[in-house]
Amino acid sequence: MDFNALFNPTSIAVVGASRDPNKIGSAILKNLRITYRGKIFPINPFTEELQGVKTYKNLGMVKEPIDVAVIAVPANGVLGVLKQAEKKGVKFAVIISAGFKEVGPEGAKREEEIKRFLVGKKMRVIGPNCLGIMNMDPPYNATFIDPIVKPLEGNAAIISQSGAIMSAMIDAAIDKRIGFSKMISVGNAVDVDEAELVHALTDDPNTNAIFLYLEGLINGREFLRAAAKASETKPLLILKGGISTDGSRAVISHTGSLSGDNTVYEAAFKRVGAIKVKDMETALLLLRDAPKIRIKSNEIVILTNGGGNGILATDSLSETGLTLAKYNNNTIKELERVLPRGTEIGNPLDIRGDASQARYRDSLKSVARMNKPVIVLFSPQEVAMPIETAKEIINVSAEFSDVTILAAFMGGTRVEKSRLLLLENMVPVYSFPDEPVKVVDALYKYGLYRPPSFSTYEKTKISITKLSPKTNLFGLKAATFLKGLGIDITKGVYIKGQKDAKAAIKEIGFPCVLKIYSGEAPHKNRIGGVVTNIINETELNKAFGTIAEAAKINKVPLQGYELYKHIENSTGIEIILGGHKDKQFGTVVGIGVGGVNVEAINQMFHMIAPITDEDVNAFKESGIAKIVAASGSPQAVNTLIDSAIRLAKIMDKYERITDIDINPVVIKDNTTSALDLKIFVRA
Amino acid sequence: MDFNALFNPTSIAVVGASRDPNKIGSAILKNLRITYRGKIFPINPFTEELQGVKTYKNLGMVKEPIDVAVIAVPANGVLGVLKQAEKKGVKFAVIISAGFKEVGPEGAKREEEIKRFLVGKKMRVIGPNCLGIMNMDPPYNATFIDPIVKPLEGNAAIISQSGAIMSAMIDAAIDKRIGFSKMISVGNAVDVDEAELVHALTDDPNTNAIFLYLEGLINGREFLRAAAKASETKPLLILKGGISTDGSRAVISHTGSLSGDNTVYEAAFKRVGAIKVKDMETALLLLRDAPKIRIKSNEIVILTNGGGNGILATDSLSETGLTLAKYNNNTIKELERVLPRGTEIGNPLDIRGDASQARYRDSLKSVARMNKPVIVLFSPQEVAMPIETAKEIINVSAEFSDVTILAAFMGGTRVEKSRLLLLENMVPVYSFPDEPVKVVDALYKYGLYRPPSFSTYEKTKISITKLSPKTNLFGLKAATFLKGLGIDITKGVYIKGQKDAKAAIKEIGFPCVLKIYSGEAPHKNRIGGVVTNIINETELNKAFGTIAEAAKINKVPLQGYELYKHIENSTGIEIILGGHKDKQFGTVVGIGVGGVNVEAINQMFHMIAPITDEDVNAFKESGIAKIVAASGSPQAVNTLIDSAIRLAKIMDKYERITDIDINPVVIKDNTTSALDLKIFVRA
């Protein structure tokens, strides 16, 4: 997809340009007049000119070609304008107008109509319900942001699902000296979506880092492809809004609680090398620095003139993947030479409250020679002058241009000018000791990103011979379907009634478990349809009665029984294995801890299909794998991940299967026994 | 202790006042001249006047009484000055000079000398190695902070163990309109410590909130008393620097890793109602607002003109103890009346991007009538003007003076002036949607604080009849000592050698466990001194040989054997129960999860003696208690907490016991069996 006409249009029309300065169309026209060097065609049926620019009655009246039409008419007029635009040969329409999906059923209907109209058309659409689009080079501002907000030119791009967040960030960015390349508000994304825009910005030479504010995705798989591609060359920062508050974390399937679940998003972001940012503030820091900095080492030097600040930076570092660098002998010798006798040569390197700018310079040079990232902390104290110290840091940064040097100048009035000076001279500077640590950590992790490999997944073969199931399958039927899963499924037989029990028990043996068979009773336990640990015939006979009674009370048809070998779960570890077709990412499988530990071990390991080798390794290092191994079943770890891969492949191949629940899987002495299985299919 | 002479001195001497403007003494004199209305006596043997003030050769030469002597002479001269000051009757000495404990052994020796000199003296000392002290009313600045930094007067107090952090925070506070009452840098705290200062500030009518930067404590118990007292009337905010990076969390005792361990600090802060702040930035926000705001409800209303911002605030809220308020019918009716038709009446209440200041005013009034905290989010968008909206919020805040209204105005240039306007009119305002949520959460939690009660602890009686042990006790000897602990200790007998085995096995029975008895082998398992699951006589005979061999190889004296009943731990839950005499807080006991789950369940429940009723209830709600209960042993939860109380009482009563390790305690079917016990005593 070629976005050149959108990013570098030769002409722009503003449909809904107005004389009323409070109208959005007026603000957009004003912003374009100030910023855009190409041709502007304001469209307004009732005027001859607006803001000194000749107007046209409608798009058709414009003789010249139009690359972009910005539409700011009332919602019910949008479709008509789109039709005109398409006829005119407009390449991109940007629908600013609100009043669609976001306002309820009536708006959703209008949005559907637009979607339908666009099928098969060449013209592409951004929005509706968006703030617009801004490019810094070549410059044009087709948003209704107040013209007093003048973003700086730079290499950070924004894609935002919220206009309010985009406008707030652009405004906040100015003081922080954050420069932008392109800013796009996607609104309801009726046509062009985040994935396409990430692709476009990946190809954009003016963009060195992409920020995305995301609430949900329509096509998660396509987005992941775009994100992975982007991460190969530039950092992609994602602020995810809308954390699921559903606490039922262990329920991976059926309930659908997983759709859009935050942990799945996290798994997805990690897989594609995206940097998940926690809040707008961190987003702004990273937006500023990510286009400029690459971190190649996780061994950091912290230089400080105050012990407390060094401690706070170190505390923050202890929550990251970073460590404190060790000095080599040369560095130690040099530091001993330049620092006052008796100074402890540690890391953090406390050069003391009486450190002059010269001491900052000399010690910074000494540690910079190690070629590791250096964080320089400055607290306004007696001798060191903020401006002079800043100048020395700027000089050393220039001299050691390969070394990443970041500064934190703590305080307000006393250090404000020096912070500005550092920024203007391309030295990243912060106000608190934990901030540079967070930035270095995020960018170091980004630097570790490699495109995922899928060798284990591809090597694992499953046989797909059966037909896709048409109804939900429980118990034995599910077990039969999932035979090739690689875990032991507890031996069981179907029996019609009590009279078949004798033959069956010969095969299964005591102790055994008797379960109701009923297509309408997925939760057999809850209705009293399961009797466990049956040790002799008398008990077995009693169990038939118990279950028949339960079926009656709960009004479920008694279609027979299933007889299983009894597995003592209290002596093993209980695991939950599940798969779900996520609306946004497709097949997602999970391995979690069940049984009594579920209360304390808040862990479910999610993997999106196709499962990567990195997922496989990460699972083997996970807390869940450690519990399984420590319980005396190290080989079961491999069985579990292999089964998860098979489960993912089955979910992917059988289109109608929406969920598979294998719960519990009892693990003991390296055997894995699935005690209950459920397969749910789309009706 | 009366701090009036320190906070409100009638005269101050500056020892080490200098003509050299780069010297600290000169800066302090200058600050005092600018701020202080009482008498100043600069002390300098070589001058007649400094900065226009008459100087004195030494403290003795001053005829009038001196309340405070600020000392800024080289470290080796400090003791001499202190002696003069004491003779002169100085009430408080503030030692600014560095060169003590913080620079190594030589400095530590100097500090010890000062400590020794102060014994029995009436004069009290702040410092050494500190930034000084500042009071806003009556004003005086006896620090060497640059005079261009002029803090605002207000009701927040600072106590800091780091001068660098105090100076940075004071500087940063000015822009943020944070007003102070008193600021005290405690330095090495050779005499006056944090506990005394917290007491003093609790009594200070000008102080409404206390901030403390803390690295470590000398007398933790006394500090906790002071902190608990403070929390009864004003919030105490603590930023703890120096998080232990030791990962061996499960080792509660013996290794000493617990001393100053962060989790114990957290338990301590929680117990006394202190607000733990994560970083300087949050500290500044809370310093600004904690003196003014009290939060009485955890049901919050979020009002926003941008969906995205509302989502981010809600995400942040989901990590706290706050919830979104539900509207009553009147509120819904009113909102429907004042908001455009079709607006969804939700919480967050999205009044949309086209919200005018009037819409902000009307909807804010409607929700304010519910008398719950309201967070108003503003993102610069098309219609609402920042200043006008700010004015409406100020008006509504004044009208509903009982309701806490907080605002977040997102952005930079466009909203800067409105943020300032709100602040000046006492409306707390922030720059990001998550910030007000954090502030409300912290202050709501503080509002829940009640002084702890100890009824369960007091009711639990233990008999203290034995003598304090003089040597470490392991195994059976430890078990005998700890008989009154309330948990079952696995039955065992001491036997000299193989010949006594027959009699012993009659009492214990098979399966049994044979352990080495050796005072010098606390870690019997590691040296191969334990054989478990012995099922018959042949195996038992073999076990004697195995252990004798292990003793020989490991060169530990074989002083006999212990024979126990074998308890199958793989069928139960393993718990660790431990006690430790913490350097800072005295007896601390902990209950943790052991066995295979230790890898995944990163939980150790710490309690400081005396154990509070709140601790008891919190343990019963903890993940550990839930695992124990879910494993089929709900009554064991009570046994565990009861044993922990007894353990704490034993540790407290027997002065020489430093650590007790009961690991593992196997829990099954509501029985608790301690399999191994160790008692360590001070040599």
Side-chain angles (χ1 to χ4, degrees):
Chain A
M1 177 67 209
D2 182 4
F3 280 86
N4 189 48
L6 179 67
F7 291 147
N8 189 13
T10 51
S11 62
I12 301 177
V14 183
V15 190
S18 161
R19 197 169 298 281
D20 178 351
N22 284 326
K23 284 273 165 71
I24 288 178
S26 163
I28 294 170
L29 179 59
K30 191 172 176 195
N31 277 330
L32 278 174
R33 278 201 309 103
I34 296 171
T35 56
Y36 182 52
R37 295 179 202 137
K39 286 228 163 160
I40 306 174
F41 307 113
I43 309 295
N44 183 321
F46 310 111
T47 57
E48 296 299 319
E49 64 78 35
L50 281 171
Q51 301 177 25
V53 187
K54 177 178 186 274
T55 60
Y56 298 79
K57 301 276 179 239
N58 55 54
L59 286 166
M61 303 285 278
V62 180
K63 292 274 150 23
E64 288 142 284
I66 301 173
D67 276 352
V68 172
V70 184
I71 302 171
V73 300
N76 52 23
V78 169
L79 184 59
V81 176
L82 277 182
K83 285 177 178 167
Q84 281 181 34
E86 200 268 333
K87 207 168 153 198
K88 166 70 192 159
V90 165
K91 289 176 184 147
F92 285 89
V94 179
I95 309 174
I96 306 289
S97 320
F100 293 88
K101 196 172 64 181
E102 79 283 3
V103 297
E106 208 182 327
K109 211 182 122 204
R110 273 197 287 268
E111 195 163 318
E112 270 311 307
E113 282 166 5
I114 292 178
K115 221 177 231 170
R116 244 175 288 136
F117 167 71
L118 290 175
V119 173
K121 304 290 189 300
K122 228 182 120 189
M123 182 177 74
R124 301 301 307 274
V125 169
I126 306 272
N129 183 30
C130 79
L131 186 66
I133 174 169
M134 224 190 283
N135 191 3
M136 299 305 290
D137 178 26
Y140 90 87
N141 178 353
T143 74
F144 55 92
I145 290 177
D146 194 315
I148 69 162
V149 177
K150 291 189 206 316
L152 304 176
E153 195 181 328
N155 302 103
I158 292 189
I159 306 169
S160 180
Q161 289 187 348
S162 157
I165 284 178
M166 174 158 137
S167 70
M169 286 192 61
I170 291 174
D171 191 19
I174 298 168
D175 296 343
K176 295 180 196 294
R177 294 290 187 279
I178 299 168
F180 291 105
S181 54
K182 296 175 173 64
M183 291 146 274
I184 306 144
S185 164
V186 292
N188 300 0
V190 71
D191 178 25
V192 173
D193 67 4
E194 303 75 26
E196 278 185 284
L197 290 170
V198 167
H199 274 307
L201 293 170
T202 301
D203 295 340
D204 177 29
N206 288 346
T207 297
N208 287 349
I210 305 165
F211 167 78
L212 173 63
Y213 172 73
L214 189 73
E215 286 172 10
L217 286 168
I218 294 157
N219 184 345
R221 294 263 178 148
E222 185 50 38
F223 174 76
L224 292 187
R225 265 186 290 275
K229 190 79 188 357
S231 293
E232 286 182 34
T233 56
K234 49 192 81 172
L236 173 64
L237 318 171
I238 303 181
L239 176 59
K240 171 74 177 71
I243 294 169
S244 158
T245 49
D246 188 333
S248 59
R249 50 135 224 104
V251 183
I252 186 175
S253 75
H254 191 46
T255 62
S257 78
L258 195 94
S259 331
D261 188 36
N262 217 44
T263 52
V264 177
Y265 271 101
E266 275 184 29
F269 296 161
K270 200 173 167 198
R271 171 193 192 107
V272 295
I275 301 171
K276 188 175 179 283
V277 289
K278 215 190 155 310
D279 48 43
M280 282 170 76
E281 215 172 347
T282 316
L284 283 164
L285 290 179
L286 277 163
L287 260 182
R288 191 192 66 184
D289 299 327
K292 293 175 219 132
I293 307 177
R294 291 295 174 269
I295 303 289
K296 286 164 213 144
S297 169
N298 69 336
E299 296 167 23
I300 309 299
V301 178
I302 297 173
L303 188 68
T304 180
N305 69 339
N309 293 314
I311 285 174
L312 292 183
T314 308
D315 284 351
S316 171
L317 187 132
S318 74
E319 293 169 5
T320 69
L322 306 175
T323 62
L324 293 168
K326 288 198 167 54
Y327 304 126
N328 55 41
N329 282 340
N330 282 343
T331 310
I332 293 171
K333 262 185 221 154
E334 254 199 273
L335 285 171
E336 280 170 348
R337 194 174 57 78
V338 302
L339 290 171
R341 190 181 296 270
T343 307
E344 202 192 326
I345 310 298
N347 189 6
L349 184 62
D350 185 353
I351 62 172
R352 306 219 159 260
D354 61 352
S356 63
Q357 52 264 33
R359 198 187 293 169
Y360 261 104
R361 177 195 62 217
D362 296 341
S363 50
L364 180 55
K365 276 190 183 184
S366 307
V367 294
R369 289 202 182 92
M370 297 208 303
N371 201 6
K372 311 221 181 260
V374 185
I375 294 172
V376 186
L377 306 178
F378 178 90
S379 178
Q381 298 203 52
E382 38 176 325
V383 179
M385 293 287 108
I387 290 283
E388 286 69 18
T389 305
K391 281 181 184 161
E392 293 295 357
I393 296 172
I394 291 165
N395 291 341
V396 180
S397 283
E399 191 181 331
F400 294 85
S401 57
D402 280 356
V403 182
T404 306
I405 295 174
L406 310 93
F409 271 48
M410 263 73 71
T413 331
R414 278 234 34 207
V415 294
E416 219 152 23
K417 284 198 186 117
S418 24
R419 279 201 288 251
L420 225 51
L421 185 68
L422 285 157
L423 275 186
E424 278 160 4
N425 286 280
M426 307 294 282
V427 177
V429 65
Y430 310 85
S431 306
F432 297 100
D434 53 321
E435 292 175 336
V437 175
K438 284 180 193 161
V439 167
V440 171
D441 181 50
L443 296 179
Y444 172 70
K445 280 182 187 140
Y446 164 68
L448 294 179
Y449 173 73
R450 299 289 172 273
S453 52
F454 303 93
S455 65
T456 308
Y457 193 79
E458 282 162 3
K459 264 189 292 188
T460 309
K461 300 290 177 210
I462 57 163
S463 68
I464 300 289
T465 52
K466 295 174 279 275
L467 290 174
S468 200
K470 279 179 187 147
T471 57
N472 297 343
L473 303 176
F474 303 123
L476 278 179
K477 289 201 176 170
T480 310
F481 192 87
L482 293 172
K483 244 183 356 210
L485 210 57
I487 54 175
D488 295 333
I489 295 164
T490 312
K491 200 177 176 183
V493 291
Y494 170 80
I495 51 179
K496 265 235 156 109
Q498 203 162 348
K499 62 180 168 37
D500 305 329
K502 258 210 171 131
I505 207 71
K506 258 188 204 147
E507 201 178 325
I508 303 293
F510 288 113
C512 70
V513 175
L514 190 70
K515 294 184 183 183
I516 188 172
Y517 180 78
S518 171
E520 290 173 30
H523 301 294
K524 305 182 186 95
N525 260 311
R526 271 187 233 160
I527 62 159
V530 180
V531 180
T532 65
N533 206 9
I534 301 167
I535 55 167
N536 56 37
E537 231 164 293
T538 322
E539 280 194 16
L540 182 58
N541 288 336
K542 221 167 71 188
F544 279 104
T546 310
I547 289 173
E549 183 69 17
K552 213 164 146 190
I553 291 168
N554 290 283
K555 294 181 181 124
V556 295
L558 180 63
Q559 299 164 342
Y561 301 86
E562 290 175 2
L563 193 70
Y564 292 92
K565 192 164 173 43
H566 176 84
I567 304 277
E568 182 58 66
N569 17 358
S570 74
T571 64
I573 299 275
E574 280 189 31
I575 293 290
I576 299 168
L577 187 63
H580 174 72
K581 286 254 173 69
D582 186 72
K583 259 189 266 176
Q584 305 180 330
F585 298 109
T587 294
V588 178
V589 297
I591 304 174
V593 175
V596 299
N597 292 320
V598 97
E599 288 281 3
I601 306 173
N602 202 351
Q603 282 184 353
M604 174 66 94
F605 194 88
H606 287 105
M607 291 166 281
I608 297 169
I611 291 171
T612 67
D613 295 343
E614 291 72 22
D615 285 335
V616 173
N617 292 331
F619 175 73
K620 289 179 180 172
E621 296 294 315
S622 71
I624 298 169
K626 281 179 185 162
I627 299 177
V628 170
S631 76
S633 301
Q635 289 150 44
V637 171
N638 294 324
T639 311
L640 279 176
I641 187 73
D642 180 61
S643 297
I645 289 174
R646 288 168 192 278
L647 191 61
K649 290 205 151 193
I650 290 169
M651 298 275 307
D652 255 6
K653 293 286 179 180
Y654 291 101
E655 198 260 328
R656 293 184 69 160
I657 297 181
T658 61
D659 295 272
I660 295 180
D661 241 5
I662 310 177
N663 180 12
V665 179
V666 174
I667 297 183
K668 203 191 171 185
D669 300 335
N670 282 314
T671 65
T672 47
S673 314
L675 298 197
D676 200 10
L677 299 93
K678 298 182 187 109
I679 298 174
F680 297 93
V681 300
R682 203 190 328 277
Chain B
M1 176 67 208
D2 182 7
F3 279 87
N4 189 48
L6 180 67
F7 291 147
N8 189 11
T10 51
S11 62
I12 301 177
V14 183
V15 190
S18 161
R19 196 168 297 279
D20 179 352
N22 283 327
K23 284 272 166 73
I24 288 177
S26 162
I28 294 169
L29 179 58
K30 192 172 174 195
N31 277 330
L32 278 174
R33 277 202 310 103
I34 296 170
T35 56
Y36 182 53
R37 295 178 202 139
K39 284 229 164 165
I40 307 173
F41 306 111
I43 310 293
N44 183 320
F46 309 112
T47 56
E48 296 298 319
E49 65 79 33
L50 282 171
Q51 301 178 24
V53 185
K54 177 177 186 274
T55 60
Y56 298 79
K57 301 277 177 237
N58 56 53
L59 286 168
M61 302 286 278
V62 180
K63 293 272 148 29
E64 288 142 284
I66 300 173
D67 276 352
V68 172
V70 183
I71 301 171
V73 300
N76 53 24
V78 169
L79 184 59
V81 175
L82 278 183
K83 285 177 179 168
Q84 281 180 35
E86 201 268 335
K87 207 169 152 197
K88 167 70 192 158
V90 164
K91 288 176 184 146
F92 285 89
V94 178
I95 309 174
I96 306 290
S97 321
F100 292 89
K101 196 171 67 181
E102 79 282 3
V103 297
E106 209 182 326
K109 211 182 123 203
R110 272 198 286 268
E111 195 162 316
E112 270 311 308
E113 283 166 6
I114 291 179
K115 222 177 231 169
R116 242 175 291 137
F117 167 71
L118 289 176
V119 173
K121 305 288 190 300
K122 227 180 124 192
M123 182 176 75
R124 302 300 308 273
V125 169
I126 306 272
N129 183 32
C130 78
L131 187 66
I133 174 168
M134 223 190 283
N135 191 5
M136 298 305 290
D137 178 27
Y140 90 88
N141 178 353
T143 74
F144 55 92
I145 290 176
D146 194 314
I148 69 162
V149 177
K150 291 188 206 316
L152 303 176
E153 194 183 327
N155 301 103
I158 293 189
I159 306 169
S160 179
Q161 289 187 347
S162 158
I165 284 178
M166 172 158 139
S167 70
M169 286 191 61
I170 291 175
D171 191 17
I174 298 168
D175 297 343
K176 295 181 196 293
R177 295 291 188 277
I178 300 168
F180 291 105
S181 54
K182 296 176 172 66
M183 294 147 272
I184 307 144
S185 163
V186 292
N188 300 0
V190 71
D191 178 25
V192 173
D193 66 5
E194 303 75 25
E196 278 184 284
L197 290 170
V198 168
H199 274 306
L201 293 170
T202 301
D203 294 339
D204 177 30
N206 288 347
T207 298
N208 287 350
I210 305 165
F211 168 77
L212 173 62
Y213 172 73
L214 189 74
E215 286 173 9
L217 285 168
I218 294 156
N219 185 346
R221 294 261 179 151
E222 185 49 39
F223 174 76
L224 291 186
R225 264 186 290 274
K229 189 79 190 352
S231 293
E232 287 182 34
T233 55
K234 48 192 81 172
L236 172 64
L237 318 170
I238 303 181
L239 177 58
K240 171 74 177 70
I243 294 169
S244 158
T245 50
D246 188 333
S248 59
R249 51 134 223 105
V251 184
I252 186 175
S253 74
H254 191 46
T255 63
S257 77
L258 193 92
S259 333
D261 187 39
N262 216 46
T263 52
V264 177
Y265 271 102
E266 276 184 26
F269 296 162
K270 203 173 163 196
R271 169 194 193 104
V272 296
I275 301 171
K276 188 174 178 283
V277 289
K278 216 191 154 309
D279 48 44
M280 282 170 75
E281 217 173 344
T282 316
L284 283 165
L285 290 179
L286 278 164
L287 260 182
R288 192 192 65 184
D289 299 327
K292 292 174 220 135
I293 308 177
R294 291 294 173 270
I295 304 289
K296 285 164 214 145
S297 168
N298 70 335
E299 296 168 24
I300 308 299
V301 178
I302 297 173
L303 187 68
T304 180
N305 68 339
N309 294 314
I311 285 175
L312 292 184
T314 309
D315 285 351
S316 173
L317 187 131
S318 74
E319 293 170 4
T320 69
L322 306 175
T323 62
L324 293 168
K326 287 195 170 56
Y327 304 126
N328 54 40
N329 282 341
N330 281 344
T331 310
I332 292 172
K333 262 184 220 154
E334 254 199 272
L335 285 171
E336 279 171 348
R337 195 175 54 80
V338 302
L339 290 171
R341 191 182 295 271
T343 306
E344 202 193 327
I345 310 297
N347 189 8
L349 183 62
D350 186 352
I351 61 170
R352 306 221 161 260
D354 60 354
S356 63
Q357 51 267 29
R359 198 188 293 168
Y360 261 104
R361 178 196 60 217
D362 296 341
S363 50
L364 180 55
K365 275 190 183 185
S366 308
V367 294
R369 290 203 180 93
M370 297 207 304
N371 201 6
K372 312 221 180 258
V374 185
I375 294 172
V376 186
L377 306 177
F378 177 90
S379 178
Q381 297 203 52
E382 38 178 325
V383 179
M385 292 289 107
I387 289 284
E388 286 69 18
T389 305
K391 281 182 185 161
E392 293 295 357
I393 295 173
I394 290 165
N395 291 340
V396 180
S397 282
E399 191 180 332
F400 294 84
S401 57
D402 279 355
V403 182
T404 305
I405 296 174
L406 310 92
F409 271 48
M410 264 72 73
T413 330
R414 276 231 38 208
V415 293
E416 219 152 21
K417 283 196 187 119
S418 25
R419 280 201 289 251
L420 225 51
L421 185 68
L422 285 158
L423 274 186
E424 279 161 3
N425 287 280
M426 309 293 283
V427 177
V429 64
Y430 310 84
S431 306
F432 297 100
D434 53 322
E435 292 175 337
V437 175
K438 284 181 193 160
V439 167
V440 171
D441 181 49
L443 296 180
Y444 172 70
K445 280 183 187 139
Y446 163 68
L448 294 180
Y449 173 72
R450 300 289 172 272
S453 52
F454 302 94
S455 66
T456 309
Y457 193 79
E458 282 162 4
K459 263 189 291 187
T460 310
K461 300 290 176 211
I462 57 163
S463 67
I464 300 288
T465 51
K466 297 174 278 275
L467 290 174
S468 201
K470 281 182 185 143
T471 58
N472 296 344
L473 302 176
F474 303 122
L476 278 180
K477 288 202 176 169
T480 309
F481 191 87
L482 292 173
K483 243 180 359 208
L485 210 57
I487 54 175
D488 295 333
I489 295 165
T490 311
K491 199 175 177 186
V493 291
Y494 169 79
I495 51 180
K496 264 237 156 111
Q498 202 160 349
K499 62 179 167 40
D500 305 327
K502 259 214 172 125
I505 207 71
K506 259 187 206 150
E507 199 177 328
I508 303 293
F510 289 112
C512 69
V513 176
L514 190 69
K515 294 187 183 182
I516 189 171
Y517 181 78
S518 172
E520 289 174 31
H523 301 295
K524 306 181 186 97
N525 260 310
R526 271 187 233 159
I527 62 160
V530 180
V531 180
T532 65
N533 206 7
I534 301 167
I535 55 167
N536 55 37
E537 229 164 296
T538 323
E539 280 194 16
L540 181 58
N541 289 335
K542 222 168 70 188
F544 279 103
T546 309
I547 288 174
E549 182 70 16
K552 213 163 145 191
I553 291 167
N554 290 283
K555 294 181 183 125
V556 296
L558 181 62
Q559 298 164 341
Y561 300 86
E562 290 175 1
L563 194 70
Y564 292 92
K565 191 161 176 44
H566 176 82
I567 305 278
E568 182 60 65
N569 19 354
S570 74
T571 64
I573 299 275
E574 280 188 32
I575 293 289
I576 299 168
L577 188 63
H580 174 72
K581 285 254 171 70
D582 186 71
K583 259 190 267 177
Q584 303 180 333
F585 297 109
T587 294
V588 178
V589 297
I591 305 175
V593 175
V596 300
N597 292 321
V598 96
E599 289 280 2
I601 306 174
N602 203 349
Q603 282 184 353
M604 174 66 94
F605 193 89
H606 287 106
M607 292 165 281
I608 297 169
I611 291 171
T612 67
D613 294 343
E614 291 72 22
D615 284 336
V616 172
N617 292 332
F619 175 72
K620 289 179 180 172
E621 296 294 314
S622 71
I624 298 170
K626 282 178 184 160
I627 299 175
V628 170
S631 77
S633 301
Q635 290 149 43
V637 172
N638 294 324
T639 312
L640 279 176
I641 187 72
D642 179 62
S643 298
I645 289 174
R646 289 168 191 278
L647 191 62
K649 290 206 150 192
I650 290 169
M651 297 273 310
D652 255 6
K653 294 285 179 179
Y654 291 100
E655 198 261 329
R656 292 183 71 160
I657 297 181
T658 60
D659 295 272
I660 296 180
D661 243 4
I662 311 177
N663 181 12
V665 179
V666 174
I667 297 183
K668 204 190 168 183
D669 299 336
N670 283 314
T671 65
T672 47
S673 315
L675 298 197
D676 200 9
L677 300 92
K678 298 184 186 106
I679 298 174
F680 297 93
V681 299
R682 203 190 325 278

